[in-house]
Amino acid sequence: MATLSEAYKEHPPIDPQHIIPLDFQAIRQVPTSHLWPHQTHDEEHAPSSPSSSSIVPVIDLLDPAAGDLIGRACEAWGIFQVVNHGVPSSLLDEVVSEATRLFALPAPVKNRALRTPEGATGYGVARISPFFAQLMWHEGFTIMGSPAAHARLLWPDDYQHFCDVMEKYQEKVKALAHNLFQLLLNYISPSSPAAAAAVEFDGALQLNSYPPCPSPAQTIGLAPHTDTLFLTILHQSSPGLQLFDPAGLRWSAVDHVPGALTVNVGDLLHVLSNGKFRTARHRAVVMSDTTQRVSMACFYGPPVESVVAPVVSPVDGAPAVYRSVGVKEFLNLKALHLDEALDFIRL
Ligand code: OGA
Ligand code: NI
């Protein structure tokens, strides 16, 4: 059975600059490779205006109306925040602390755990990097299942705690993802038996680091993108995530609500919902010249060998707007076309 990790092998980046992050600890000035000339870009690349207040709702999962609230948030924005989500705040703190410990290692040590050109896991730059002319102020570490093989290269005598924390985090967040997914399926199709079917998730945990930057406004942490799979559940240690508001045609900060988790719809859930749920276009900006920001994103999608077909509501009778697509086929489209991938399956 193919895995998500194997599905990534087919499109290896050719240039090492799309794998090996900058040695941020040694840098005193933003190199031209990492300068993003915002002024010359279109509206979408403009820095957010300081007055933009968050449009992303914070939803209490213990609220009896939570299912409706998150469904409506996915229709309007493709993103929401949750509290009372069942992931202990002590565990969130531990993941932040372990991620911080990892990214604080000297560059040559981190590079021991470098992602290989054909690989999906380990230390490296963002996978969307080859699509952009400039490089991003970011380093990441991708985990699928146990991170032991890479963690052992980083801390030969002391890797167990890191692994325990990451595995525990994946277990807790996955339970939340199942919960949310069930609520969302019920929202799309309250009467369909498919909504009750047990869904297997394939997924990954991405640790992101945005090091302190000598001129944060001149660079970008993570360029604008949508996530590929069903759902992303993100924890940010400090503000930096922004959502592109398609109505106002501008970027809006996603508030940093301590203890809350941010959930966004990915392309495949947009397809499954027949376009009803928005796929959230987002980016991460670099905020500080003194503080490192870390975030951890758990991505969940259907098994790579499965097919995603739009759930068409028998009530409103709206026709399918996407054709069915194999997960692997869609991963390939995304790896080749990034933002245009959905255009290839639109009916
Ligand atoms: C991602 C992502 C945002 C952030 O990892 O896909 O969008 O704030 N991260 O780190
Ligand atoms: Ni993302």
Side-chain angles (χ1 to χ4, degrees):
M1 175 69 115
T3 61
L4 196 54
S5 156
E6 283 158 19
Y8 280 122
K9 283 197 180 122
E10 295 181 17
H11 302 278
I14 14 149
D15 194 326
Q17 71 174 352
H18 297 308
I19 300 182
I20 309 171
L22 200 61
D23 180 359
F24 293 102
Q25 289 150 346
I27 288 281
R28 297 285 163 266
Q29 225 186 328
V30 179
T32 48
S33 55
H34 288 66
L35 282 178
W36 286 66
H38 299 291
Q39 303 82 333
T40 62
H41 279 64
D42 54 32
E43 177 74 41
E44 216 212 36
H45 291 83
S48 69
S49 61
S51 61
S52 66
S53 60
S54 182
I55 46 178
V56 176
V58 180
I59 296 166
D60 183 346
L61 262 194
L62 297 180
D63 184 333
D68 255 12
L69 294 171
I70 68 172
R72 270 187 267 148
C74 289
E75 283 188 272
W77 314 112
I79 190 167
F80 58 92
Q81 300 206 52
V82 268
V83 292
N84 284 318
H85 44 61
V87 183
S89 60
S90 55
L91 184 57
L92 295 177
D93 293 345
E94 272 192 291
V95 184
V96 168
S97 134
E98 285 303 294
T100 307
R101 185 163 79 97
L102 186 158
F103 293 115
L105 291 169
V109 177
K110 289 185 282 195
N111 287 337
R112 284 190 218 144
L114 210 57
R115 189 172 77 219
T116 62
E118 305 77 29
T121 59
Y123 179 66
V125 306
R127 293 200 77 94
I128 57 173
S129 180
F131 288 95
F132 299 89
Q134 291 93 352
L135 296 169
M136 300 166 216
W137 201 262
H138 165 274
E139 53 185 333
F141 186 85
T142 311
I143 297 169
M144 292 180 183
S146 166
H150 282 118
R152 210 178 265 138
L153 302 171
L154 298 172
W155 301 285
D157 309 311
D158 169 31
Y159 60 90
Q160 198 54 50
H161 184 65
F162 177 84
C163 297
D164 292 347
V165 170
M166 296 305 151
E167 285 177 52
K168 180 99 191 153
Y169 186 65
Q170 290 179 93
E171 179 194 314
K172 290 282 180 190
V173 181
K174 193 171 193 175
L176 170 63
H178 274 291
N179 225 332
L180 294 170
F181 193 66
Q182 190 63 67
L183 291 171
L184 289 170
L185 284 181
N186 289 342
Y187 186 87
I188 314 174
S189 176
S191 56
S192 158
V199 181
E200 273 303 313
F201 282 145
D202 208 339
L205 164 57
Q206 171 74 22
L207 308 180
N208 295 306
S209 154
Y210 307 92
C213 178
S215 31
Q218 287 191 298
T219 188
I220 195 144
L222 216 48
H225 66 281
T226 60
D227 294 339
T228 306
L229 304 178
F230 277 158
L231 283 177
T232 302
I233 301 182
L234 180 95
H235 173 58
Q236 46 176 347
S237 71
S238 57
L241 177 65
Q242 297 188 337
L243 172 74
F244 189 67
D245 168 5
L249 289 181
R250 60 176 196 151
W251 290 97
S252 170
V254 176
D255 286 343
H256 178 245
V257 179
L261 290 167
T262 303
V263 183
N264 68 265
V265 173
D267 301 336
L268 287 177
L269 181 54
H270 171 74
V271 172
L272 185 76
S273 72
N274 198 29
K276 192 177 176 112
F277 294 153
R278 266 180 202 284
T279 176
R281 191 160 171 74
H282 56 283
R283 69 178 185 182
V285 294
V286 185
M287 303 287 277
S288 174
D289 57 357
T290 52
T291 323
Q292 179 197 33
R293 169 175 181 260
V294 295
S295 74
M296 32 290 311
C298 290
F299 305 104
Y300 295 101
V304 171
E305 301 290 357
S306 62
V307 171
V308 174
V311 174
V312 178
S313 163
V315 183
D316 61 27
V321 292
Y322 290 103
R323 67 164 167 85
S324 302
V325 65
V327 175
K328 201 162 173 196
E329 181 193 357
F330 191 73
L331 290 173
N332 285 336
L333 286 171
K334 192 84 190 233
L336 292 171
H337 306 287
L338 198 67
D339 289 346
E340 279 79 48
L342 284 170
D343 300 340
F344 286 80
I345 59 164
R346 197 171 282 119
L347 289 172

